[in-house]
Amino acid sequence: MGIIRVTNIQVYAYHGCLVEEGKIGSDYRVDVEVKANLQPSAVSDALTDTVDYVHVNRIVKEEMAIRSKLLEHVAKRIIDRIFDEIAIANETTVQVSKINPPIGGNVEMVTIEMTLKR
């Protein structure tokens, strides 16, 4: 088993329960960890035998562009797509962080983390 991490994917999106969040938007950080058998790619040196981090990045950007009220909903969609589109993915952890959330205080970010196994 091996791990591919794509860390600090930065996107601007419009998630949140408040109407203003859907209009103004906010900065987000997404971190993805995919566990898979990386031995075939270590031997073959072929991109088709591994977790393509370009593909992971594209999934994150596409799913972050779809407005959701809850970060949990976005994370679940990202994980579902990784499992649907990357056959060797066995376990995926996604962290979605809202930078400077509008919660009435000086908070750097709020983060949800979700892990699912195939």
Side-chain angles (χ1 to χ4, degrees):
M1 190 68 68
I3 299 172
I4 300 285
R5 288 186 184 95
V6 186
T7 305
N8 199 15
I9 303 168
Q10 298 176 18
V11 295
Y12 197 85
Y14 298 87
H15 307 299
C17 294
L18 303 174
V19 174
E20 295 79 14
E21 292 174 300
K23 294 178 182 177
I24 298 168
S26 186
D27 290 310
Y28 291 84
R29 170 187 171 153
V30 181
D31 299 296
V32 179
E33 178 180 281
V34 180
K35 292 184 179 179
N37 180 0
L38 301 181
Q39 290 307 307
S41 61
V43 172
S44 72
D45 197 29
L47 183 60
T48 55
D49 290 335
T50 192
V51 176
D52 182 354
Y53 48 81
V54 172
H55 189 173
V56 172
N57 186 58
R58 183 174 61 249
I59 289 171
V60 168
K61 289 185 175 185
E62 289 173 359
E63 292 304 321
M64 288 296 290
I66 301 168
R67 178 167 160 68
S68 290
K69 293 177 186 172
L70 300 178
L71 300 181
E72 294 90 324
H73 190 253
V74 181
K76 176 72 165 69
R77 288 199 324 263
I78 292 168
I79 292 171
D80 287 347
R81 282 220 24 218
I82 288 170
F83 285 156
D84 287 346
E85 298 176 23
I86 302 174
I88 69 167
N90 293 322
E91 181 178 316
T92 302
T93 299
V94 173
Q95 293 179 335
V96 181
S97 302
K98 181 181 280 194
I99 310 300
N100 296 318
I103 60 174
N106 187 9
V107 177
E108 180 182 355
M109 72 176 91
V110 295
T111 302
I112 69 95
E113 179 177 308
M114 183 178 292
T115 300
L116 292 174
K117 295 180 182 181
R118 193 183 288 276

